[in-house]
Structures are given as structure tokens and as C-alpha cells.
Amino acid sequence: MKQFSKFVLIAIIAIFLSCESEGELTIDGADQSTKIDDKVNELLSKMSIEEKVAQMRIFHATIGVKSDENGSLLLSDRVKEKLKLGIAGIKNPGEHISPLAAAKLNNELQKYIIDNNRWGIPALFVTESYNGVDAEGCTKFGRPLTSAASFNTDLVNRIWDVVGKEARLRGMHMCHSPEADIVRDPRFGRMSEAFGEDTYLTTQMVTNAIKGVQGDYEGLGAGTHIGAVAKHFAGYGQVLGGRNFAAVEISPRTLIDEIYPPFEAAVKDARTLGIMASHGDLNGIASHGNPDLLTSVLRDEWGFDGYLVSDSNDIARLFYFMKVAESPEAAALMGLEAGIDVDLYAEDSYALLPKMVEENPEIEKLIDQAVRRVLRTKYILGLFDNPYIDLDKVNKGVRAESSLALAKEADLESIILLKNDNQILPLNKNKPTKIALLGPLLSEHTKTAFESVAGSNITFMAAKGFSLTDEKKGVPSLLEKNPTAISKMINIARQSDLVVLYLGGDEHTAKEAYFNNALGDRATIEPVGQQNELVTKIKALGKPVIVVLKHRRTLSINTIAQQADAILDIWDLSEFGDESTAKIIFGEVSPSGKLPVTVPRSIGQFPFHYSQKEINYKKGYLFLEEGPLYPFGFGLSYTTFEYSDLSISNAELTPETEISVSVSITNTGSVKAKEIVQLYIKDEIRSVSPPNKELKGFKKIALDPGETKTVSFSVTPKMLEFTGKEMTKVLEEGDYTVMVGSSSIQGLSGTFRLNN
């Protein structure tokens, strides 16, 4: 055995030296115990400056990566030229073809890339995820804000686990998701891409999403999952006026205490593989050129060791848009010095670095630092050892029955019952009823889905009536009023016993406002078009009206709330959304979702998140009822829950101890249901203006009729820390009120004191 081992060792050394003499590098295999950093440094030492910079750039597949008529890889001359030196990555290759076709394409693309750069460096293929993997043929889940309404972290983890697996089976490696932004302005068209207005809820959702998509980090090297890129660091959701690309005005204290925590947890707890910088600025400093943000905070304070990528073209925009750099070269240097490793798309930014090194050789040290992070990411993902997808596994793993079932489960946990006068819901399947399904948010599959759930006793009539816009991709326009369409729907409603109205908004009325020729933000949040008129005229018929509210941004639904007998807020569900909604309406499941945002009466009330400073509640507005239309954390059920026996384990908390807060919840109705028990804490007096209250815990429990469960929360000193007058974290003595209940405004309260 000793002689054999010696022979093998000599052979391995000979092979390695042979490869070296031919200008090649054995990246891995000879010594499996070699650390990734050693491998990266060895590789980096052999690369030219042009090869290094190529590892700092990502381009989009739309410039010339596709399949020919036989399904084989077809590259444009422009792409071939880009790939001669290797590349950091490519965005969305194969996004519009089936998973199997995409896997085949990406295998061929990866092989081409490896074969056509000197060191055989593989590329990262990058996707995004807002309804599951944003690509053809994958399981379509509800949007992040929809799943946040479930208040179910395990559910979110399982959703993103599927996202990670399905993306990897397509040949993808990184995901420019999830969003760790806090969204509090519903004018912002991208609202539904994030997890809501609350720091704690968003933090829990983001960390579970990242752990899911990365397979608890272990799935990265195993080749089963992809890396997450949490975005947009930091404060992107706070753009002024809710307008994409606008300035961001956040106080340093708000930034630290409310905006940072989801990102910090993404780094420290979830171990996100990537971070994307924000379009915006902080205190006038463009985020893409902010070393205090991207290096001092992100890397030095939090210990982030992954790669940092720009948002689309944003390093170059430091010059021609943000106007903080005097030239494209100055913008590139600003981004590099700030700590951005990868330039997304631009041809006039990091592409300039090789020439800049000739004039300033010192910046190669910064380039090496960035390239190390990119190469390290590729090693963590196992791409040097196993860059290809096993095609036999694709169809078995994508859209598996378990994944489709999960999408349905998530829908049912996320639907929110906002109103249910006279307990009109759930409807009785056994009672012969004629139901009119009407409204501009009706889909072509709604009627079929309802029929499959309701059974033979229910008769359905359906009419969409009108669309909300002309549905132009860039800048949609509102349509003129259509009295004929409304008259037609009224006539159908007259023939019915009950009306289900699908109202709200769609992907054309709430979307990302791209840099050129695209709008997606709104100045108001009233339902667009003739929707208020429609619900008023239908209600005037004297029929019961159930509104299904489908939307991607918070809407001011005063008229709908007044006219409807019941409202189901479904946000934007999965591909099975109509079926899931029907199941809730007919009582197969009791709704258990809760609002992840505050619903205002008017856009004029904003900022209006529940956790704003207590002093903001002193005065209301003339001619407007005070308070929200519906508060954060609110959601009804088909049963009733009674909270009792609030108990605090100790009236005193110290910096070295923690206390337990418990409460009993009883299902006092006749229906099995789930309740989301929420813990809020209010600091009664502090040295800086305190928030009204803050969510600090939640648990979702299932209760049979008559059943009682006790739910307990731990209150730790860490929960009570805040940024004090000296801009450092402090823990101050004082009195606290704790509330446990069913929403941010309803529950049982008690007190405790923190003593140092």
C-alpha cells in the first residue's frame, strides 16, 4: 500500500507539472484539502489585468445568447468577443425556454466559456425571483409581499428552497433576490418585491428566504441550490415621492435601527453569498460610491466576505446620472474604492479599468481584491469541480408535485380577510346559488377554478368587463370610461344571487420604473379606472358583494370597504391563486393571513407605518377620519379567538437576563383555524424620540374549536437596544409596555422595567 501511494503521488505531481508546462492550471483535484483562498490566490497570480477585469463584469444574455432551431447554443459575435477572456457572469441565459432546454443551453454555454478562456474559469449564471424563479416553466409562487402576509417563516424558507433547487436545475448559480428593503410608500411601483413595512418581519422573512435558496449554505457546494444576493443596500425602498431613482432621505438613526437590520441578519445569520448596492444615495452620498457603507459597515463591521455587485449600470451612472464623478473613469474608480466587486451591464465603467491601471498601477490591488471575491464565490458554488447540470434530473426536480402543492399551501396561508359583515363568508357549497364573477382583475381561468372547487350546486357567470390600462409595457395609459362594459356587468349581476368582484391592480399599474422609457410609480393610490363606480353600482342592486382585492401595491380602498360585504385581500398569489381564493370563499380553509403593511385612508397620511414615532400621532387631518383603514398585522378569521392570562415572568429585566411573556389563546368559534400571535414592545421614555411600538415576535398556531394554547415569547436586552444620542447602540433603564395580540392595535398589555 505504501509503494502504491507513493506511485500515485508521483503520478499526480507529474500530471500537474505537465499541465503547468502547457500553460494550464489544475484548479482542483490534486489536493482536496487545499483551502479556497489558496486556490484563488494561485489562480489570480497567473491572470492578466484584462482577465481579472473580465471577472468583474456581468452582461445580459439578450445581447446574444440563445438557442438555434435545433436547441443548440448560438452566440453573437459580440458575446464571443466578451468571452475570450472569461467573464464573471451572465444574466438570465435561457430565461424564456423550458427548464430542460435552459439546462442544456447553459451546459453548452458554460463549456464554451471554460474552453475559451486560458484558465478554464467558469461563469456565474444569474436569475431573479419575485414569483419563484423568474424564468419559463418554473413553479410560480406568490410575490414576496404576499408571502409576508402569511407570517410563516418556515413556509417562506420552503418556498425559497424550491426556488434554489429549480434555479440550479436550469443551470443558474446566483439570484439577485431577495429584497431586504423596507417598503413604506405605496406609490413605489416595486413595493410587492419586498416583505413589507416592518423591520422585524422583513428580517425574519429575508433570512429564511436566503437560507432556503442557498440550501442552508450547504446546498451551494453540493450543487443543489444557488447563492442569494440580498438587495438593495441600503435604503432603496425609501426613495422620495415613491419614485424610482429619486433621492433617499433617511436620518442616520433610522438607517441604523430600521433599515440596516435585515441586511445585517442576511450577512451574519443567513450568510448571503452576495449583496447588491442601492440605486440611491444616503445623506447625499451615492451608495455605489460610498466606502463607509459598502466597506466600513458591510465588510468591516458585519464581516461580509461575499461579492458585492452593482445594480444595473449604476457605477457608470455615478458620472452621467448621479453627477458625483467628473468622468466615466472617475466613476469606475469611485465604485472600485467603495468596494463594489462586479459591474452589472455597463460598457463605460469597469471596462475602462485595464487602461486605468496603466496610468495608476496602485489600483490593481483593489482589482485583485474584487476578483478574489468573485473567484471565491465560484469555488463555494463548486463550479470548478462540477460546472454542469445533470439533464436527467431536470424534469423530475422542476415543478415537482410537492412544489405545486407548496404554492397552494402558501396561497391559503397568505390570503387576508379584511371584512366579513354578517359572516357572509364562507359560502355554502350545498346551497344552490348563482354567483357572478366580475371585474377587471378576473383572469381567463377564474371561472373554471371556482367551478372545480364549488361543485355542482353553484352556477357561475363571468365577465371581466374592462381592463385597467392599455397594457403597454413601458408607459401604460388609462382607458376611457366604458359605460357599456359596466352595464353588461350590472345585467349579469342582476341575474345572480351574489357577486364576487375582482378589483385592485395588476402588473401594469404597479411595476419597476426602468431607467429609460418606463414608468411604474404612482402619484396616488386610489384604485384606477372605473372600479369605485363599478362596486357602487353593483352594490346598489341589493346583492351581497364579496370583493377579491388583487394588487401589487397598497391601495386606498375607502369606497370598496364601504360598499363590500366582505373583502379578501389576496395581493398577488401563485399560479393557483384563483383556486386558492375559491377554497377560502367556500370555507375549505379559514383565512389566516395578516397585513404586512398599514392600509391608509389617503396617500396624504404617509408616512404612516405603524411603528413611526409616537409624536406623529398627535394630530390628524381636517376632514379625514383618524387612523388607518386597516392596521398593520390585521386579519380576520372564520372563527373567533380569545386572548387571556397575559403573564410576564419577571417585572424586572437586566442586561444579563431575559424574561418570558406568555398568553393563552382560545378558539371560541366552531371552525378549525390558524392565528398569528404578535408581540409588540413600546419604550415609554427614551433619550431620543421613541417609536409608537415595534413588532418583536410572532408565532402562527393552529387551534381546533374550543382548544386553548399558551404561546410564549422571550424578551431579551438585545430587543431593546437602539441608537442613542451619541450614535452608538445603547440600552437604557426605563419602563416598557408589552402587548400581545391579533394586530398592532389589539391585544393584552403588561409592563416591565429594565434596570442596569
Side-chain angles (χ1 to χ4, degrees):
M1 285 297 293
K2 290 182 180 180
Q3 291 179 340
F4 178 75
S5 299
K6 182 178 179 181
F7 173 80
V8 171
L9 179 61
I10 293 172
I12 289 173
I13 293 172
I15 293 171
F16 179 81
L17 293 175
S18 173
C19 290
E20 285 283 272
S21 66
E22 295 174 7
E24 297 178 357
L25 175 68
T26 299
I27 301 300
D28 199 357
D31 183 1
Q32 294 293 341
S33 67
T34 303
K35 296 179 180 179
I36 285 179
D37 288 346
D38 292 338
K39 299 176 185 178
V40 167
N41 287 331
E42 181 184 3
L43 179 53
L44 187 66
S45 68
K46 299 177 179 296
M47 297 170 67
S48 69
I49 186 63
E50 290 79 12
E51 289 169 331
K52 292 175 183 177
V53 172
Q55 294 299 316
M56 299 170 66
R57 303 184 64 199
I58 289 176
F59 66 83
H60 201 289
T62 52
I63 70 170
V65 177
K66 58 183 180 180
S67 299
D68 63 18
E69 61 275 9
N70 298 316
S72 297
L73 178 66
L74 185 63
L75 301 179
S76 67
D77 290 341
R78 183 181 175 189
V79 168
K80 290 178 180 178
E81 185 64 29
K82 279 182 170 293
L83 296 181
K84 286 181 178 179
L85 297 171
I87 197 74
I90 301 174
K91 186 75 176 289
N92 289 342
E95 64 177 323
H96 297 303
I97 57 180
S98 73
L100 183 60
K104 178 177 181 295
L105 172 75
N106 288 330
N107 276 351
E108 293 182 17
L109 177 60
Q110 190 72 276
K111 186 175 189 308
Y112 181 93
I113 292 168
I114 291 171
D115 289 348
N116 285 275
N117 72 86
R118 281 201 305 164
W119 308 112
I121 303 174
L124 299 169
F125 299 152
V126 185
T127 185
E128 297 194 34
S129 177
Y130 298 119
N131 289 86
V133 183
D134 286 348
E136 185 73 25
C138 290
T139 305
K140 183 180 178 182
F141 293 96
R143 290 176 84 75
L145 195 53
T146 308
S147 60
S150 73
F151 280 69
N152 188 331
T153 54
D154 172 69
L155 182 69
V156 169
N157 181 272
R158 288 185 286 132
I159 289 171
W160 287 78
D161 174 69
V162 171
V163 170
K165 289 175 179 175
E166 291 194 345
R168 193 70 180 241
L169 286 170
R170 295 184 70 92
M172 311 307 285
H173 312 110
M174 297 294 293
C175 181
H176 286 172
S177 301
E179 289 194 15
D181 299 315
I182 304 298
V183 286
R184 291 172 172 170
D185 190 335
R187 293 173 295 181
F188 187 42
R190 301 186 69 176
M191 184 179 193
S192 66
E193 296 176 14
F195 291 103
E197 72 178 45
D198 182 67
T199 299
Y200 180 81
L201 177 62
T202 297
T203 299
Q204 301 308 307
M205 293 295 164
V206 163
T207 53
N208 276 278
I210 292 172
K211 289 177 181 179
V213 81
Q214 295 190 162
D216 245 348
Y217 202 84
E218 298 300 321
L220 301 175
T224 57
H225 291 74
I226 63 173
V229 179
K231 63 183 186 184
H232 308 79
F233 190 60
Y236 177 56
Q238 314 303 304
V239 285
L240 291 179
R243 292 171 295 175
N244 208 14
F245 298 105
V248 174
E249 296 289 347
I250 308 174
S251 75
R253 185 170 287 103
T254 299
L255 182 69
I256 294 169
D257 288 350
E258 301 178 34
I259 306 302
Y260 278 173
F263 289 98
E264 185 175 4
V267 171
K268 293 182 176 179
D269 183 18
R271 301 174 69 191
T272 185
L273 210 54
I275 294 282
M276 177 181 282
S278 166
H279 280 310
D281 61 346
L282 293 173
N283 195 27
I285 309 299
S287 292
H288 276 69
N290 191 339
D292 288 338
L293 175 72
L294 303 182
T295 297
S296 296
V297 172
L298 184 60
R299 296 194 185 279
D300 297 344
E301 290 184 28
W302 298 350
F304 176 63
D305 58 3
Y307 85 76
L308 182 59
V309 61
S310 79
D311 206 338
S312 174
N313 296 288
D314 273 358
I315 300 175
R317 288 174 182 160
L318 294 171
F319 164 60
Y320 65 82
F321 178 64
M322 302 296 286
K323 304 296 179 68
V324 295
E326 293 189 353
S327 66
E329 290 82 3
L333 182 59
M334 188 177 292
L336 186 64
E337 290 180 334
I340 296 180
D341 304 313
V342 178
D343 182 11
L344 189 62
Y345 304 154
E347 297 293 340
D348 51 357
S349 182
Y350 280 5
L352 306 174
L353 288 176
K355 182 68 175 176
M356 292 169 61
V357 169
E358 294 178 10
E359 300 172 0
N360 183 6
E362 283 299 307
I363 67 174
E364 188 167 2
K365 295 178 182 177
L366 295 175
I367 291 171
D368 286 353
Q369 180 176 262
V371 177
R372 281 191 186 94
R373 292 167 183 154
V374 175
L375 294 177
R376 182 175 179 274
T377 300
K378 293 180 179 184
Y379 272 110
I380 290 170
L381 285 160
L383 295 185
F384 285 95
D385 296 323
N386 187 18
Y388 307 115
I389 299 302
D390 184 344
L391 299 182
D392 291 336
K393 295 181 179 180
V394 177
N395 285 338
K396 296 176 183 177
V398 178
R399 292 185 64 79
E401 286 300 319
S402 58
S403 301
L404 304 182
L406 179 60
K408 297 177 182 180
E409 178 188 349
D411 284 351
L412 295 174
E413 293 242 355
S414 302
I415 293 173
I416 310 161
L417 180 62
L418 293 181
K419 183 179 181 181
N420 193 21
D421 284 358
N422 301 315
Q423 284 71 56
I424 187 173
L425 292 177
L427 301 181
N428 186 350
K429 291 183 184 181
N430 298 318
K431 180 181 177 182
T433 309
K434 291 182 180 179
I435 296 177
L437 300 170
L438 305 172
L441 273 298
L442 210 66
S443 79
E444 60 180 325
H445 306 295
T446 305
K447 182 172 179 285
T448 301
F450 270 71
E451 288 173 337
S452 68
V453 171
S456 59
N457 289 319
I458 311 295
T459 302
F460 293 97
M461 302 167 284
K464 179 175 180 177
F466 55 84
S467 297
L468 300 179
T469 69
D470 61 9
E471 301 183 357
K472 288 184 178 177
K473 186 175 181 180
V475 184
S477 297
L478 295 176
L479 300 175
E480 294 183 3
K481 287 190 174 183
N482 188 342
T484 302
I486 289 185
S487 295
K488 179 181 177 181
M489 285 190 279
I490 290 173
N491 288 333
I492 293 174
R494 281 198 181 101
Q495 303 170 46
S496 71
D497 300 310
L498 178 145
V499 179
V500 176
L501 276 180
Y502 267 71
L503 305 175
D506 59 18
E507 68 273 22
H508 304 287
T509 62
K511 60 189 180 72
E512 182 175 358
Y514 292 108
F515 198 73
N516 294 314
N517 194 35
L519 298 178
D521 311 313
R522 288 186 59 201
T524 69
I525 56 171
E526 294 291 323
V528 301
Q530 307 171 80
Q531 297 185 80
N532 285 342
E533 178 184 353
L534 176 62
V535 68
T536 301
K537 289 185 174 180
I538 293 294
K539 180 60 178 176
L541 298 175
K543 313 277 186 178
V545 176
I546 299 166
V547 168
V548 175
L549 193 66
K550 184 178 181 181
H551 56 127
R552 289 187 173 184
R553 59 154 46 91
T554 305
L555 295 172
S556 180
I557 56 168
N558 299 289
T559 299
I560 292 172
Q562 181 184 41
Q563 298 292 332
D565 296 283
I567 303 173
L568 282 176
D569 189 348
I570 68 170
W571 284 93
D572 192 311
L573 297 172
S574 78
E575 59 188 284
F576 306 104
D578 285 330
E579 175 188 326
S580 301
T581 303
K583 286 182 176 180
I584 293 286
I585 285 177
F586 286 100
E588 290 191 17
V589 178
S590 177
S592 63
K594 301 277 187 175
L595 284 170
V597 294
T598 303
V599 179
R601 301 176 189 277
S602 166
I603 191 63
Q605 291 176 294
F606 275 84
F608 204 52
H609 52 283
Y610 83 94
S611 57
Q612 63 186 307
K613 293 177 181 178
E614 183 179 358
I615 57 176
N616 291 3
Y617 292 93
K618 177 65 175 176
K619 294 290 184 180
Y621 293 92
L622 281 171
F623 320 123
L624 184 70
E625 185 178 343
E626 282 195 52
L629 188 60
Y630 298 105
F632 176 88
F634 176 79
L636 302 173
S637 174
Y638 289 158
T639 190
T640 52
F641 298 103
E642 180 182 299
Y643 285 69
S644 62
D645 301 326
L646 179 72
S647 174
I648 301 176
S649 62
N650 197 317
E652 180 185 62
L653 178 68
T654 71
E656 292 77 32
T657 63
E658 61 181 55
I659 60 176
S660 175
V661 177
S662 61
V663 68
S664 295
I665 301 98
T666 302
N667 182 344
T668 54
S670 59
V671 176
K672 180 178 181 178
K674 293 182 179 180
E675 169 68 333
I676 298 166
V677 185
Q678 302 161 49
L679 170 74
Y680 296 87
I681 296 179
K682 177 179 181 178
D683 189 349
E684 294 296 344
I685 302 290
R686 67 167 55 167
S687 58
V688 297
S689 299
N692 184 47
K693 66 186 68 166
E694 296 175 293
L695 181 70
K696 293 296 184 179
F698 57 84
K699 293 183 180 180
K700 195 164 192 174
I701 59 172
L703 290 169
D704 291 323
E707 183 181 9
T708 298
K709 286 185 179 178
T710 298
V711 173
S712 296
F713 297 95
S714 293
V715 176
T716 66
K718 185 72 175 176
M719 290 181 179
L720 310 180
E721 289 182 353
F722 64 93
T723 301
K725 289 193 291 186
E726 304 301 321
M727 295 307 297
T728 58
K729 288 287 185 180
V730 297
L731 189 62
E732 291 183 346
E733 286 191 342
D735 296 321
Y736 291 81
T737 297
V738 60
M739 185 190 81
V740 182
S742 59
S743 77
S744 59
I745 65 169
Q746 187 173 13
L748 302 178
S749 297
T751 61
F752 66 90
R753 183 172 179 81
L754 173 66
N755 289 318
N756 286 331

